[in-house]
Amino acid sequence: MQIKAPRGTYDILPPDTGKWQHVEAILKETAENFGYREIRTPIFEHTELFERGVGTSTDIVTKEMYTFRDKSSRSLTLRPENTASCARALIEHSIYSGILPAKWYYIGPMFRYDRPQTGRYRQFHQFGVEAFGSNNPYLDAEVIILLVEVLKRLGLNDYELHINSVACPRCREVYRKKLVEHIAPVKDKLCSDCQTRYEQNPLRVLDCKEDACHRAIAGYPTLFEHLCHDCARHYATVKEALKASHIVFQHDDNLVRGLDYYTNTAFEIHIPGIGAQSAVGGGGRYNGLVAECGGPDLPGIGFAMGIERLLLAVDTLAGGEANESKTDVFISIMNDAYEQQALELLTRLRLAGIRAEKDYMGRSGRAQMKYADKLGARLAIIIGEEEIAKGFYTLRDMRGKEQAKIGGQDIINSVKHRLATA
Ligand SMILES: [Zn+2]
Ligand SMILES: [Zn+2]
């Protein structure tokens, strides 16, 4: 039986890896620009971390975690997201007692045992940032500006930014009671997920994707109307900072993150041009998360973006990345007696920083030239009987086809010169 990649996983092959490298380079460069440094945490953690740091009532924890027991019967889970791991690392290494804020970014695979569907995988990839240690609303604005800047640098200018305040636990408790009163009479009209949400965490009913649920709860009281003085001021400052930075956004009452450790600013960014599943990233403040994970009472804010969706958006809307050549020079030999000379020249060129390639499949002279064209080589160096006898190389321009005889000592400089003037 042929062995295939497990359901919900996929291989990224060249030349597609080039697209990934291009997007990843922009993500990293933008984050570094904004003062964020890379953190790399383990792919798996103790299951309890995600139960505490993602929330036991979330779909992620109740339905989608890749949990297994190791040989010592410890319950481990492949990370479904990375914020909880960052909070764990912050606590474990006492980063909170060092220089704050701690500003981190990450990029890598995440795992959710979801029913695979178009564009959704069990192993998928996320880029995200976290800033721990400050409750300054201008930091919220910085994080949102970074999210928008990433899209701009990828050539994705048609986005919709939704923001809301999910308030502090105090004003949310008042609100929660009013919401329960509003939903109670129409409870039976909600989808089965929302029935459970209503019992465990009624705010998450607002988050439901089912139209029927939205119709049933129409006219519901909004969290925005119930912000306490501090929460209202925080939200107003974030919005003013965004306006002053020319970031276009819309207030969205439906944007809620039901868990207690999410506080104040929440945001989500959509690219409508990629279809129904248009959210490419989202995040917010999680001032209660570090304490929930067993650390001190330290505020934090961050976001995560799905790289698969970003790539889809870049491919369909930004015209993709030009399939650029990875080869400068191709060495063509007219006789396999010259393999050794070709290998030596190949190495000299490569040590000089020139991307050089040769044939390893025994192609004819003509087939080698076709192969050189396929690789996108700008130049070819031909080694034949006359070249060996008289001690020179034939350097051919693959576009204009003109050829020149170059002495062995001059070949590196000649190649460099031609590549620079191309
Ligand atoms: Zn409040
Ligand atoms: Zn629902």
Side-chain angles (χ1 to χ4, degrees), residues 190-195 197 204-205 208-210 212-214:
L190 302 178
C191 72
S192 62
D193 279 347
C194 282
Q195 307 265 348
R197 288 174 188 144
R204 293 199 50 238
V205 173
C208 185
K209 303 282 180 273
E210 302 286 333
C213 294
H214 281 280

Side-chain angles (χ1 to χ4, degrees), residues 167-168 170-171 227-228 230-231:
C168 65
R170 286 184 312 280
C171 38
L227 298 184
C228 67
D230 285 351
C231 289

